[in-house]
Amino acid sequence: MEDAVDTRIVAELSRDGRATLADLSAAVGLSVSAVQARLKRLEARGVITGYRATVDAEAVGRPLAAFIEITPLDPAQPDNAPELLEHLGAIEACHSIAGDAAYMLFARVASPRALEDLVRDIRHAAGVRTRTTVVLQTFYEHRPLVPAAGD
Amino acid sequence: MEDAVDTRIVAELSRDGRATLADLSAAVGLSVSAVQARLKRLEARGVITGYRATVDAEAVGRPLAAFIEITPLDPAQPDNAPELLEHLGAIEACHSIAGDAAYMLFARVASPRALEDLVRDIRHAAGVRTRTTVVLQTFYEHRPLVPAAGD
DNA sequence: CCTGAAAACGATTAGAA
DNA sequence: TTCTAATCGTTTTCAGG
């Protein structure tokens, strides 16, 4: 990110991923083609890596979220849990972490029963023990990395 | 979500939030205006809640991520930690959770030093103790809630 | 709820500063 | 890197099944 204009463009697109070049042009005070050139550079440099619709988890039948920490049962085995778990679509995120456990997963499922099944699948697929923390309520998530102008 | 066509539209837009109506039309085999009508309904019903550019955290100077569990020091005090912490831009997500701690936060910062400062800010702002788990590596995150067609 | 076509709007490209 | 202006593609709207 080169300057404040780029920052502004990224902030706008973080808020509204379908903002038009005309919208961005108005927001930053440059011509449409100048904005377009900057946007292409931001994408080419990997600052902006893509665009996503955000989907309501309840509306698509996955109202229950949980953090699942996992620890290999046998520390001698090859540890490729992320690969071994990739096919489980309920898992939204997988990070390796410092501390007690080896990985932190974040998952969304349809029901407590589906969570039970998922945890069992994880244990079998990756040869790990698990520690599950159920999410009761989500206050906010996916807040923009780059704050909007009036912040 | 009414049927398989809506599901397909949501899946496409989860993958590519800037897909045009023509793209979606080709993917689902309906006319552009039929797709547009369905998309408007999906947005109106709150199935699709918005669109976001995805931004590379390292490219914008926030390479270090951490989970921070927080617990109120005084269980008698009013517990509005999410509000009290909302102004801290480094915090990307805030969930209330079952289990030992009251909330799970996810944050992104520039450096270990910035993480130390953040944790101190959290303690002061919300009157809580914290338990921080540093992320060593992120294998995947924000995986689509609705799987693409060829899955 | 769908299609198809016309009009309005946005994106892209070329040429010049 | 920026701008303007012409061209091309996309979205919107509407008449009709």
Side-chain angles (χ1 to χ4, degrees):
Chain A
M1 219 131 68
E2 287 289 292
D3 58 18
V5 173
D6 280 358
T7 304
R8 196 80 196 277
I9 291 172
V10 172
E12 268 304 303
L13 288 169
S14 297
R15 238 186 10 92
D16 176 8
R18 276 175 98 85
T20 66
L21 295 178
D23 294 336
L24 299 173
S25 164
V28 305
L30 286 184
S31 75
V32 164
S33 23
V35 169
Q36 189 190 33
R38 280 166 176 271
L39 181 51
K40 288 215 160 150
R41 276 200 321 160
L42 288 166
E43 291 169 348
R45 289 181 178 182
V47 177
I48 291 174
T49 59
Y51 300 88
R52 295 259 169 107
T54 61
V55 174
D56 185 84
E58 299 193 17
V60 297
R62 309 259 293 279
L64 178 58
F67 293 95
I68 305 171
E69 289 165 83
I70 70 177
T71 311
L73 289 173
D74 179 356
Q77 288 297 309
D79 177 7
N80 56 340
E83 286 172 53
L84 297 172
L85 298 174
E86 204 163 11
H87 70 284
L88 297 170
I91 300 176
E92 209 175 87
C94 172
H95 311 266
S96 76
I97 55 177
D100 239 37
Y103 299 95
M104 174 79 83
L105 312 178
F106 184 73
R108 290 188 188 278
V109 294
S111 64
R113 178 61 192 276
L115 181 56
E116 181 180 13
D117 292 345
L118 173 64
V119 168
R120 189 178 26 70
D121 288 348
I122 289 171
R123 283 198 278 250
H124 287 138
V128 294
R129 72 183 172 82
T130 61
R131 179 175 171 269
T132 300
T133 301
V134 168
V135 170
L136 301 174
Q137 190 181 166
T138 295
F139 293 88
Y140 34 86
E141 69 183 328
H142 307 322
R143 293 212 303 179
L145 275 171
V146 178
D151 274 4
Chain B
M1 220 129 70
E2 287 289 294
D3 58 17
V5 172
D6 281 357
T7 303
R8 195 82 193 276
I9 290 172
V10 172
E12 269 304 303
L13 287 169
S14 297
R15 239 188 10 92
D16 175 9
R18 278 175 96 87
T20 66
L21 296 176
D23 294 336
L24 300 173
S25 164
V28 305
L30 287 184
S31 73
V32 164
S33 16
V35 169
Q36 188 192 34
R38 279 166 175 271
L39 181 51
K40 287 213 160 150
R41 278 201 321 159
L42 288 166
E43 289 168 349
R45 290 181 176 180
V47 176
I48 292 174
T49 59
Y51 301 87
R52 296 260 170 105
T54 61
V55 175
D56 186 84
E58 299 192 19
V60 297
R62 310 257 294 277
L64 178 57
F67 293 95
I68 306 172
E69 289 165 84
I70 69 177
T71 311
L73 289 173
D74 179 356
Q77 287 297 309
D79 177 7
N80 56 340
E83 287 173 53
L84 297 172
L85 299 175
E86 204 163 10
H87 70 284
L88 297 171
I91 301 176
E92 210 176 85
C94 171
H95 311 267
S96 77
I97 56 175
D100 240 37
Y103 299 95
M104 174 77 84
L105 312 178
F106 184 74
R108 290 189 187 277
V109 294
S111 64
R113 176 61 192 275
L115 181 56
E116 181 181 14
D117 292 346
L118 174 66
V119 168
R120 189 178 26 70
D121 289 349
I122 289 171
R123 283 199 278 252
H124 287 139
V128 294
R129 74 184 172 78
T130 62
R131 180 172 170 269
T132 300
T133 301
V134 168
V135 170
L136 301 173
Q137 191 180 166
T138 295
F139 293 89
Y140 34 85
E141 69 183 327
H142 307 322
R143 293 213 301 180
L145 274 171
V146 178
D151 272 3

